[in-house]
Amino acid sequence: MFEELTERTGSRRGFLKALAAGGVMLGTAACGGGAGSGGTTAFKVALGWITDVEFAGFFLAADRGYYRDEGLAVTFKGGGTNTPLPHVQLASGAVDLTVDPNMRQVLEVIGQGNDLVMLGAQFQTDPNGLLSLAKRPVRTAADLKGLRILSQQGTQPLLNGLYKANGLPPDFEFIPTGFDPGALVQGQGDAYNCFVTNQPIILEEQFGLKRGSGYEVVTYSELGCPAYANVICCKRSLVQEKRDQVVRFMRASARGWQDNAADPDAAAKLVIQKYGVDLGLNEKQQARQNQLQVPLTESTLTKANGILRMDPGVVESTMYTWLRLAGASSLPDPRHVIDTSILADVFKNGARL
């Protein structure tokens, strides 16, 4: 969510640090750039990370022909350590849409004059959080006092904002570390700034720890600092010029994410066999990651109104409050930059996908 993706992608780089030296292009079928053939509209989509199970719903939609059924040819461009950030690719015209992990960064880019819009959010709960051991658990804001926090350089503003939002002095000791929570097990700190769908799996698989008896994990949202993540964005001009096709893209994507919630194991197999076949991924890990991320894609809002939804009112009243405490600036009016009408059309009259 913050500081050039350090705490979002950085921690995952440690988990998969040998992977993704560059971007990977994956298409649904005959998916070159341009207008497509036979009346098919071609969209290129930049992902905020490598083509692993994090993007399960999009891959299911592609593999099951949901984009094709909507008259779309969709190409997914995987990210990685040497790949331009999604919104940079969008601004340059290299892609048509993005799945951007960093909501704050996108908002600030918009606030600086870039005419982008947010169409929806994969993660209703941002997966950033704190990992701790059962002997010194961090479960609530009261547990933040005086912590020794292991984290990557650049995340200090995030942590400062977390403390300030809870009315606490930022009295934590910041301990720079790499992207492996082994330092936590070794006692070098009390908590580890993590991506809650990744680092806990390392503790389970490499150290044999179980949640509750061996470790605890809490999201920033649970600590009073919520945010959306993996926001789906495009230029406003795309909505103006190809609104119907954008609605169809979001409808197919929503179908994929609904399928993923119903059967998380299916996407893990698909990623291993197809979309991440060259990445050396482990199916057990991918299945566990998807199991952990499915609840983060759901919320009271999505259960009532359909998956991927965003609420501009919540962004302004709740999320902006703590983002500013974390140093965010130039935040635009969320009602202007979040286009809720696209998903309203997708789920019009309570439509079932």
Side-chain angles (χ1 to χ4, degrees):
M1 184 176 74
F2 295 88
E3 321 325 321
E4 299 297 329
L5 305 185
T6 301
E7 61 276 19
R8 289 296 317 274
T9 59
S11 55
R12 288 178 287 173
R13 287 177 189 141
F15 189 71
L16 297 165
K17 60 186 177 181
L19 306 180
V24 178
M25 298 292 289
L26 293 170
T28 61
C31 299
S37 59
T40 299
T41 298
F43 281 151
K44 292 181 180 178
V45 183
L47 304 176
W49 186 236
I50 62 172
T51 51
D52 70 354
V53 80
E54 180 175 339
F55 306 103
F58 299 109
F59 297 152
L60 286 171
D63 194 67
R64 295 179 178 182
Y66 298 161
Y67 295 118
R68 182 188 62 239
D69 293 346
E70 297 284 357
L72 304 175
V74 180
T75 302
F76 290 101
K77 184 179 181 183
T81 54
N82 298 324
T83 305
L85 297 173
H87 63 264
V88 173
Q89 298 181 62
L90 185 60
S92 71
V95 297
D96 303 292
L97 299 110
T98 62
V99 182
D100 202 309
N102 194 322
M103 185 187 78
R104 168 188 168 173
Q105 195 170 73
V106 174
L107 286 165
E108 290 187 313
V109 165
I110 294 172
Q112 293 163 5
N114 294 278
D115 203 11
L116 311 180
V117 292
M118 298 179 175
L119 307 174
Q122 170 189 329
F123 285 123
Q124 300 294 297
T125 300
D126 190 300
N128 277 300
L130 291 177
L131 185 62
S132 59
L133 299 182
K135 62 183 180 182
R136 176 69 161 86
V138 178
R139 302 188 186 96
T140 69
D143 299 322
L144 295 174
K145 297 177 182 178
L147 281 182
R148 297 176 300 147
I149 300 180
L150 294 153
S151 190
Q152 297 76 48
Q153 288 288 2
T155 60
Q156 292 93 327
L158 168 68
L159 296 168
N160 280 327
L162 174 65
Y163 275 70
K164 291 176 182 177
N166 283 286
L168 298 172
D171 62 351
F172 62 92
E173 179 185 353
F174 182 85
I175 304 174
T177 191
F179 306 119
D180 188 320
L184 177 66
V185 178
Q186 296 166 7
Q188 296 178 27
D190 303 312
Y192 179 91
N193 193 47
C194 75
F195 197 65
V196 302
T197 59
N198 274 357
Q199 275 74 26
I201 304 176
I202 296 178
L203 294 189
E204 292 172 355
E205 294 187 348
Q206 294 187 13
F207 298 97
L209 300 180
K210 295 182 179 180
R211 185 170 182 175
S213 60
Y215 75 86
E216 295 290 345
V217 64
V218 60
T219 65
Y220 280 81
S221 178
E222 292 170 311
L223 294 172
C225 298
Y228 293 114
N230 280 17
V231 290
I232 304 166
C233 307
C234 68
K235 291 182 178 179
R236 191 178 301 274
S237 59
L238 183 69
V239 175
Q240 294 169 341
E241 297 166 8
K242 297 182 178 182
R243 190 180 192 284
D244 181 58
Q245 291 92 327
V246 172
V247 170
R248 286 188 267 137
F249 171 81
M250 292 299 287
R251 179 163 51 234
S253 299
R255 288 182 67 189
W257 280 106
Q258 287 180 172
D259 285 1
N260 188 60
D263 182 11
D265 289 340
K269 290 182 173 63
L270 180 62
V271 167
I272 293 296
Q273 296 170 3
K274 184 175 181 180
Y275 291 94
V277 68
D278 296 323
L279 299 178
L281 301 172
N282 176 278
E283 185 174 340
K284 180 181 177 182
Q285 183 278 329
Q286 290 287 283
R288 178 62 171 150
Q289 180 177 333
N290 204 19
Q291 179 188 32
L292 291 174
Q293 78 177 4
V294 164
L296 304 182
T297 67
E298 301 171 338
S299 66
T300 301
L301 177 64
T302 64
K303 290 176 180 177
N305 298 287
I307 205 157
L308 303 177
R309 296 277 194 156
M310 298 179 75
D311 187 335
V314 170
V315 172
E316 183 173 40
S317 64
T318 305
M319 299 181 184
Y320 272 16
T321 300
W322 94 273
L323 290 178
R324 290 191 176 100
L325 291 173
S329 60
S330 303
L331 296 175
D333 182 348
R335 290 173 176 78
H336 177 66
V337 301
I338 299 174
D339 188 340
T340 61
S341 72
I342 300 297
L343 283 171
D345 278 1
V346 168
F347 295 102
K348 186 179 296 184
N349 300 322
R352 297 181 65 85
L353 303 183

